[in-house]
Amino acid sequence: MGSSILTASFRRSGENNALHCEGVPLARIAETVGTPVFVYSSAEIRLQYEKLKGALEGIPHRIHYSVKANSSLGVLAVLRELGAGVDIVSGGELHRALLAGFTGDDVVFSGVGKTAPEIREALRAGVRFFNVESEGELRAIDALASEDGLIAPVAIRVNPEVDVDTPHEYTRTGGRGHKFGIPYDEAEAVALLATELANVRLVGLDMHVGSQLTRMEPYERGVARLLDLVELLPSRARADLRWLDLGGGLAVPYDVDDDKVDLGAFAAVARRAARSSGLELVIEPGRFLVANAGVLVTRVLYRKRSGGKDYVIADAGMTELLRPSHYHAHHGVERVEEPHRAEIETADVVDVVGPVCESGDFLALDRKLASVEPGDLLAILSAGAYAYVMASNYNSRQKPPEVLVDGNRFGVVTDRETRDDLTRLERTVPAWRE
Ligand code: LLP
């Protein structure tokens, strides 16, 4: 049935034990901004960043936050202030990173399908390096750099071909036959090619094996294979090597029973990798930094019973948070106002579903929730990562606002979409008929 995890930045306090984000009652945000609404805690992001930084102390490294997890400019600015770099996978993410104040040198450009315009933009922005995922991409970068008279710094993303046991097969990326990275037995040849092409410079090697990693053994096997490759390269190919990018994937708990990542064990792997390669590490965490720094606040619209099942129908659903529907992911659900003891004792088992016209539109299944009534507010937990960024306009729903909390203050960093936003790019007749 699962339960929920409240981090230090989301606590119950005050007379009626209402749920707060730092010093701000979630109910106040909902009243001011409306629902559904994403609420992020700056303090929680800082805490996670400092935790990771602390674990990696003494190891030459830089944390490049994986923008895909949460690309809100407000969140990016918090991470920039902390000194993070970014890991991006599109021209759109580059645009956001630059707007948030990152410079080209703060940026690592990953992704399996970079287009020519995206590569050009990144070259001109002076990104720290490209993580190259195929020979074709390497040649494209070389040709585009040559047009601009530039030398492109590249790292080879190697597929170390190890099996990781993430909760869902869609979040495994470093297994044999996956679309990501260069197959292990071709990686050396592509790295050598990088040293021969005139307009690229081989500055690193890279891997990313998956997301929600808790066990370090498969990860360490991947790292070992990457290190083997460094050893294999002839010294002329190693001349400009500076970076060893170990990817992201550090897990966070979504449920009390979830395995926790052992940061000490992770740091030990990182330390050994840095020592034996003599290279500086790049780490690309996304979820670890932001997942538990966010909640989705939604209001209950209706309750109904159907076929012996109790449904709580909320004003948010798969359009705001796709993860339960797409990965069968567990997200904790908390009432924003604390229920009274008697209500807790008589809690019902319910499905919390959204208003979208899909049977797969749910936020939580078979959850014990104390007397939830229409009008009540619910907080869907762990909604800081892969939530807003995966939101859609299905059913012509407007994307919700994003609110950033810092101490006792809160502010909207993304407005709720308007009706005009929904149709802004459309016309009723194609231009040729006018
Ligand atoms: N680096 C690369 C190259 C990646 O592909 C990813 C995530 C990361 C870093 C960051 O991984 P993280 O530290 O956040 O685990 N939508 C899925 C997650 C997809 C992750 C894709 N790649 C979800 O909601 O669970």
Side-chain angles (χ1 to χ4, degrees):
M1 187 168 301
S3 49
S4 47
I5 289 194
L6 283 175
T7 57
S9 308
F10 291 94
R11 260 179 314 206
R12 296 197 175 277
S13 63
E15 263 172 44
N16 48 6
N17 240 358
L19 198 56
H20 286 59
C21 176
E22 302 186 36
V24 185
L26 289 177
R28 194 197 307 159
I29 297 177
E31 271 147 34
T32 317
V33 181
T35 58
V37 54
F38 282 97
V39 181
Y40 306 130
S41 157
S42 318
E44 189 65 29
I45 298 172
R46 293 190 193 111
L47 199 73
Q48 289 296 97
Y49 185 84
E50 297 304 342
K51 242 192 245 172
L52 186 55
K53 241 3 229 178
L56 295 172
E57 204 182 307
I59 306 171
H61 75 280
R62 181 140 196 239
I63 295 174
H64 282 252
Y65 166 64
S66 196
V67 172
K68 65 173 81 67
N70 184 325
S71 57
S72 160
L73 293 179
V75 167
L76 292 180
V78 172
L79 284 152
R80 184 183 48 73
E81 281 165 18
L82 289 167
V86 287
D87 159 55
I88 61 157
V89 290
S90 70
E93 287 188 350
L94 175 62
H95 174 71
R96 285 177 173 280
L98 296 177
L99 272 182
F102 291 96
T103 65
D105 194 47
D106 294 322
V107 177
V108 166
F109 191 4
S110 306
V112 74
K114 305 174 188 76
T115 66
E118 286 177 321
I119 292 169
R120 231 177 255 124
E121 262 178 273
L123 281 169
R124 292 175 189 168
V127 298
R128 177 168 278 193
F129 58 84
F130 291 83
N131 277 324
V132 173
E133 300 219 18
S134 62
E135 183 184 328
E137 181 192 332
L138 180 66
R139 291 187 187 278
I141 294 174
D142 178 61
L144 291 160
S146 151
E147 279 175 20
D148 275 4
L150 296 169
I151 306 285
V154 298
I156 302 299
R157 174 162 175 188
V158 178
N159 180 351
E161 297 174 355
V162 291
D163 290 321
V164 292
D165 50 356
T166 67
H168 198 280
E169 59 170 319
Y170 290 176
T171 55
R172 296 171 203 155
T173 53
R176 195 172 154 79
H178 282 151
K179 77 169 175 182
F180 298 100
I182 295 175
Y184 192 76
D185 54 9
E186 292 168 29
E188 188 190 353
V190 179
L192 289 177
L193 177 64
T195 66
E196 283 154 20
L197 296 173
N199 291 84
V200 294
R201 176 176 296 134
L202 181 68
V203 298
L205 291 174
D206 164 51
M207 69 167 213
H208 170 76
V209 292
S211 199
Q212 276 290 66
L213 307 173
T214 48
R215 287 202 314 122
M216 280 300 125
E217 302 87 77
Y219 182 75
E220 185 163 24
R221 255 185 286 125
V223 173
R225 299 201 84 194
L226 202 60
L227 293 171
D228 287 347
L229 204 63
V230 177
E231 291 299 315
L232 268 179
L233 292 178
S235 54
R236 70 179 162 80
R238 275 195 269 171
D240 295 319
L241 274 193
R242 177 157 172 219
W243 308 106
L244 193 66
D245 185 338
L246 299 184
L250 290 173
V252 299
Y254 283 79
D255 199 348
V256 276
D257 302 327
D258 282 355
D259 292 336
K260 314 240 176 341
V261 69
D262 177 350
L263 278 189
F266 170 70
V269 174
R271 184 169 292 111
R272 282 196 289 274
R275 268 210 199 120
S276 83
S277 66
L279 300 174
E280 206 166 316
L281 304 186
V282 165
I283 315 286
E284 305 170 352
R287 189 188 321 260
F288 181 82
L289 297 177
V290 294
N292 283 329
V295 298
L296 169 62
V297 180
T298 176
R299 203 177 279 283
V300 175
L301 298 173
Y302 304 104
R303 280 197 71 139
K304 80 171 167 192
R305 227 180 128 71
S306 174
K309 239 183 177 351
D310 273 309
Y311 287 99
V312 168
I313 301 168
D315 67 0
M318 66 188 293
T319 36
E320 289 70 37
L321 184 67
L322 184 61
R323 303 192 73 258
S325 173
H326 193 54
Y327 310 109
H328 274 274
H330 172 95
H331 285 258
V333 180
E334 286 282 317
R335 272 183 47 161
V336 168
E337 307 293 346
E338 185 168 71
H340 299 295
R341 180 169 293 281
E343 291 174 339
I344 296 174
E345 277 156 14
T346 58
D348 301 322
V349 175
V350 300
D351 283 3
V352 182
V353 301
V356 176
C357 300
E358 291 274 344
S359 291
D361 174 33
F362 54 84
L363 295 171
L365 299 179
D366 294 327
R367 225 49 87 72
K368 214 166 178 183
L369 271 185
S371 89
V372 181
E373 296 304 329
D376 287 348
L377 291 171
L378 298 176
I380 314 297
L381 307 184
S382 315
Y386 304 111
Y388 186 91
V389 288
M390 294 174 80
S392 81
N393 292 116
Y394 186 39
N395 282 199
S396 285
R397 289 169 57 75
Q398 295 148 232
K399 285 193 194 151
E402 297 182 288
V403 163
L404 189 67
V405 173
D406 199 346
N408 295 322
R409 289 174 304 180
F410 73 94
V412 172
V413 287
T414 307
D415 288 327
R416 187 183 304 285
E417 278 185 343
T418 63
R419 286 278 151 72
D420 284 345
D421 289 330
L422 280 182
T423 51
R424 199 162 42 86
L425 304 174
E426 300 176 35
R427 48 188 65 83
T428 42
V429 289
W432 56 261
R433 280 179 59 190
E434 278 169 350

